[in-house]
Amino acid sequence: MEQQTHFHIRPTCHDDLKSLMHIYEHARQFMAAHGNPGQWTEGYPSEKLIESEISAGHSFVCETADGEIAGTFCFITGEDPTYQVIEQGRWLADGPYGTIHRLASAGIAHGVAEACIKWCGQRMPSLRADTHSDNVIMQKILGKAGFTRCGIIYTDNGAPRIAYQRLMRD
């Protein structure tokens, strides 16, 4: 894996869809190989979902200096319906926030997740994210990035996820 210190983040284009689907397949294989076989099953996220996120302006890519797509994520500002109910804890703060979803790396460069989280934090001081209980790697990434574990939320299909929030203060 090459070392990267600088990435360029831009909105995803529909022409990027094939590359993103390869990245998500790589991520599914990586998660399964690292003790998390149950998070993105049955082809999740689907091409249709990613196409809708591209059209809505929620999908972004993280490129290396030479323009190669090293990762992708979804960033949405505003209320996330799955975050309205939190159990076994509470959010650090109410108010406007941005949500990071479907963060995935192509495995070609180091620091993709950190770059994506930093980019989101520059746009919204309150960030939320969630991950599967078996996704220890993402839990560590979120912890290292200053997120606090807040409780448990449930996805649209009723699956529990560990919920995190990070607040940036002046």
Side-chain angles (χ1 to χ4, degrees):
M1 186 180 299
E2 70 181 83
Q3 288 291 327
Q4 284 288 329
T5 57
H6 178 74
F7 293 101
H8 172 69
I9 295 175
R10 64 167 174 81
T12 305
C13 300
H14 285 281
D15 290 346
D16 298 324
L17 184 61
K18 186 174 180 180
S19 295
L20 267 58
M21 298 318 293
H22 287 296
I23 290 171
Y24 284 121
E25 179 57 33
H26 170 78
R28 280 190 289 277
Q29 292 173 9
F30 180 86
M31 288 190 293
H34 290 86
N36 183 20
Q39 185 168 352
W40 288 351
T41 59
E42 300 173 16
Y44 180 88
S46 69
E47 230 177 82
K48 183 178 178 182
L49 173 61
I50 301 306
E51 283 178 337
S52 71
E53 288 181 342
I54 293 169
S55 295
H58 299 153
S59 180
F60 297 87
V61 294
C62 181
E63 294 179 324
T64 63
D66 63 358
E68 190 172 3
I69 297 176
T72 185
F73 63 99
C74 176
F75 183 62
I76 303 171
T77 56
E79 291 290 319
D80 186 320
T82 60
Y83 290 176
Q84 290 180 350
V85 175
I86 186 168
E87 297 179 354
Q88 301 175 35
R90 63 180 190 85
W91 295 113
L92 299 177
D94 293 325
Y97 62 90
T99 305
I100 302 169
H101 284 301
R102 289 172 284 289
L103 176 58
S105 171
I108 62 169
H110 181 72
V112 170
E114 292 85 354
C116 295
I117 291 168
K118 180 179 178 183
W119 184 90
C120 294
Q122 291 169 339
R123 282 143 185 83
M124 183 63 69
S126 176
L127 298 176
R128 294 183 183 182
D130 63 85
T131 194
H132 194 281
S133 61
D134 290 338
N135 196 338
V136 176
I137 292 171
M138 183 55 73
Q139 292 172 44
K140 287 181 182 177
I141 289 169
L142 291 171
K144 184 178 175 186
F147 283 77
T148 299
R149 182 180 173 152
C150 294
I152 304 295
I153 59 99
Y154 295 88
T155 62
D156 292 340
N157 67 5
R161 295 289 185 263
I162 303 170
Y164 292 83
Q165 187 171 21
R166 182 182 87 172
L167 303 174
M168 298 301 288
R169 302 190 195 282
D170 294 330

